[in-house]
Amino acid sequence: METNLDLKKIWGKQYIPTTDVKEVFKKIEIYKSSKRKKAVMLNVLLFFTILFILFIWIYFKPLFISTKIGIVLTLFAMMLVIFFNSKMKNTFSKINENQSNVDYLNNLKSIKKQENYLQNKIMSVYFILLSLGIVLYIYEYLSMMKPAVQSVFYLALILWIGFNWFVLRPRIIKKNQREINDLIEQLERIENQLIEE
């Protein structure tokens, strides 16, 4: 019995199935479609939220300047997300299967950069403006309540903002990065297999 085995040689002879190109492109199409649908749904949701906030402003006629500033900050935050989300939706339509693998890969990497910018910078600005807007908005209405009730509302608001900032936001960012990184990795693997052949 031979005891001196060359593991590298044995490993090198092993059959490694090539990545199914059609399967990867199918995953990318599903990813694109999903992202476009989410972008449209988010924009529609934010648009109706903006209309609702404007209705509240007109109907309830706030007296404090802080309330009006809070409303403006909230509206600006939502319009900012709509703008950048629409840009992302347009970027997805630039990718098509007729492109070369290199162009396809470069477009995916470009989408990854834009998503990182949207999720890290724009969403951070959004959360800050939205949180500040809500705090300024509710100040007028809470000022009419007893201090004990005010403290409960402010504590609940701080917990809600903290939960969104420290729990939900990082999870969403990780999930989105993992999805696109997986697709890019699969495409790079295909490209490397084509180069080696």
Side-chain angles (χ1 to χ4, degrees):
M1 185 169 180
E2 190 180 325
T3 57
N4 200 7
L5 295 174
D6 186 359
L7 292 177
K8 268 189 172 178
K9 195 173 186 181
I10 294 170
W11 184 262
K13 288 181 181 178
Q14 187 178 5
Y15 171 71
I16 301 170
T18 57
T19 309
D20 186 10
V21 177
K22 288 180 182 177
E23 189 65 32
V24 173
F25 283 123
K26 186 179 175 183
K27 283 181 184 177
I28 292 171
E29 281 305 312
I30 291 169
Y31 177 78
K32 278 175 33 180
S33 175
S34 167
K35 286 294 184 176
R36 280 196 298 242
K37 285 177 188 173
K38 285 179 183 176
V40 168
M41 286 174 30
L42 180 62
N43 283 354
V44 168
L45 179 68
L46 287 173
F47 177 75
F48 282 112
T49 305
I50 287 171
L51 290 179
F52 180 70
I53 290 170
L54 288 172
F55 167 77
I56 289 173
W57 190 353
I58 293 166
Y59 186 77
F60 289 105
K61 298 178 178 65
L63 303 174
F64 289 15
I65 191 74
S66 64
T67 310
K68 294 173 186 173
I69 292 171
I71 291 172
V72 169
L73 287 175
T74 304
L75 293 174
F76 180 73
M78 291 180 186
M79 287 188 280
L80 186 71
V81 170
I82 288 174
F83 174 75
F84 280 99
N85 204 25
S86 297
K87 276 180 74 172
M88 278 299 300
K89 190 174 75 75
N90 293 337
T91 305
F92 280 110
S93 54
K94 290 179 184 176
I95 296 180
N96 73 54
E97 287 182 35
N98 299 329
Q99 295 175 317
S100 70
N101 286 347
V102 174
D103 291 338
Y104 206 89
L105 191 59
N106 287 338
N107 282 335
L108 271 181
K109 287 179 180 177
S110 170
I111 286 173
K112 179 182 173 181
K113 278 184 189 173
Q114 288 179 6
E115 275 194 350
N116 282 341
Y117 181 76
L118 177 67
Q119 292 166 356
N120 292 319
K121 300 280 190 275
I122 302 303
M123 291 311 280
S124 295
V125 170
Y126 169 75
F127 273 114
I128 291 168
L129 290 175
L130 185 66
S131 301
L132 187 60
I134 291 171
V135 167
L136 289 171
Y137 176 78
I138 66 170
Y139 174 73
E140 177 177 343
Y141 303 105
L142 289 180
S143 66
M144 300 172 201
M145 298 179 181
K146 294 178 181 175
V149 176
Q150 286 178 3
S151 337
V152 169
F153 270 100
Y154 277 119
L155 179 64
L157 182 62
I158 289 168
L159 289 174
W160 177 77
I161 291 170
F163 178 73
N164 279 301
W165 184 265
F166 296 110
V167 177
L168 287 182
R169 189 176 143 272
R171 281 186 186 172
I172 292 168
I173 289 171
K174 274 184 189 172
K175 181 183 176 245
N176 289 336
Q177 285 177 344
R178 190 171 46 243
E179 284 177 353
I180 195 150
N181 285 341
D182 183 46
L183 293 173
I184 288 173
E185 185 181 300
Q186 289 181 24
L187 256 182
E188 284 174 338
R189 204 176 309 133
I190 290 170
E191 188 178 49
N192 290 337
Q193 286 173 355
L194 291 173
I195 290 169
E196 289 171 6
E197 289 176 0

